[in-house]
Amino acid sequence: MPVIDIHAHFLDREVAAATEAMSVLYGCGTRPPPDRSPGTPRHRLMERMFDPAVQAAEMAERGIDHALVSASTVNQYTGWAEAAAELEMVHRVNDRAAEWVARFPHRYTGSFVLPMQDVDLSLTEMRRAVEGLGLRWANLPAQVGGRYLGHPSLRPLWEAMHAMGVAVLIHPDGIREPWFQGYSLWNSLGQPIEEAKVMASLIYEGVLDAFPAMTIVVSHGGGFLPHYCGRLDRNVANMPASARNISRRPSDYLRDFHYDTCVYEPGVLGALARVVGADRLLMGSDYPVGEADPLGFLRRAEGFTEADCAAMAGGNAARLPWLPSG
């Protein structure tokens, strides 16, 4: 069974250069980017996401056979641009994903991004990515312009992804509220909050009821939501009107998602498994900024058997669509 990394990033050099300054990394345009001249830490980090050969070599060193590669939308956030300009950048990013797969078909499965601020443009680009580029995974943010992914205005995207058999990886591109910019809280607190909000949106807006068979993977172990699901159940029991779009308790939907293992603390991974089951967990490294030894991380977590670790390392992912099964 191949060892599969479900959470590994790549960049397009031109798009990254055009968008990096507007990312949450630099206060959404309020702080200058750091020095990226050759030899600096930032330069070394970014270069690892531009070259598929570099990442493939590091995968081999870490014992990883295959990776689902997704554009690092935290680094190259495009949602600030006008729709036409964003579409042009999205084209480049998706073309780059297809190039990575073409160069290393046994190493990579590619994913596509969308110009999410315009649903019609997104539908057109989705068809191009799936039918023209052969990309069958969507790399989606948690929200666009304050509308989380379950919002009714985004339902046409879910209908199209369902019709085309697209699998979904959700990775927030960064919470942009000013309070979160200090102390890099957009990352430490903001990302797991965004993951909790997008999961709640998909549950409460009825997306999971409408498309129960879709594959949806949430990055960073789903953030805070799986660890506080009791309060969700209590809320719908006390306030039944909040359950108007759902047919089950909120916690019953948690196993409708898959989750990566990039939670940075072995005890958190064990707690997540107790809630959703080890069979819903997929190894994710968050390359190149996350877990340097993702296989070792699985083994350091308590409460998992060897069979559990093997399943998380690749067996569970191999059952998902468009990933290698042997």
Side-chain angles (χ1 to χ4, degrees), residues 50-240:
F50 293 133
D51 190 339
V54 169
Q55 186 168 160
E58 294 194 8
M59 288 167 58
E61 292 173 0
R62 293 182 296 160
I64 297 170
D65 299 306
H66 196 86
L68 173 66
V69 287
S70 52
S72 178
T73 54
V74 165
N75 285 276
Q76 56 179 29
Y77 171 70
T78 60
W80 58 271
E82 294 292 333
E86 183 179 23
L87 178 62
E88 183 177 348
M89 290 187 283
V90 163
H91 275 169
R92 286 190 59 88
V93 172
N94 293 340
D95 288 349
R96 191 71 61 241
E99 289 175 13
W100 278 47
V101 175
R103 285 186 59 186
F104 295 89
H106 300 298
R107 282 294 193 193
Y108 300 125
T109 292
S111 63
F112 60 87
V113 292
L114 296 172
M116 293 288 288
Q117 59 184 307
D118 189 305
V119 171
D120 290 335
L121 290 180
S122 291
L123 291 171
T124 299
E125 177 60 13
M126 188 188 310
R127 285 190 291 271
R128 187 185 82 92
V130 173
E131 298 171 2
L133 301 179
L135 304 174
R136 306 300 295 268
W137 278 79
N139 172 18
L140 301 183
Q143 54 90 16
V144 52
R147 295 173 295 154
Y148 286 81
L149 292 183
H151 193 276
S153 66
L154 301 176
R155 185 60 67 91
L157 297 181
W158 290 100
E159 293 170 349
M161 289 188 293
H162 179 263
M164 288 188 275
V166 168
V168 176
L169 172 70
I170 297 174
H171 189 297
D173 52 25
I175 192 166
R176 312 185 78 73
E177 295 174 28
W179 185 86
F180 287 91
Q181 306 316 310
Y183 308 101
S184 296
L185 292 175
W186 69 266
N187 189 293
S188 56
L189 290 182
Q191 294 293 73
I193 288 172
E194 288 287 88
E195 285 140 6
K197 291 175 75 173
V198 69
M199 289 175 65
S201 175
L202 293 173
I203 293 169
Y204 281 95
E205 295 283 2
V207 171
L208 299 184
D209 272 293
F211 309 109
M214 285 194 68
T215 296
I216 304 174
V217 181
V218 188
S219 58
H220 311 125
F224 295 131
L225 190 72
H227 306 284
Y228 219 57
C229 56
R231 192 169 182 89
L232 298 181
D233 291 344
R234 171 187 174 277
N235 196 63
V236 298
N238 290 350
M239 305 173 190

Side-chain angles (χ1 to χ4, degrees), residues 43 68 84 173 178 206 212 240 242 281:
H43 176 264
L68 173 66
D173 52 25
S242 66
L281 304 183

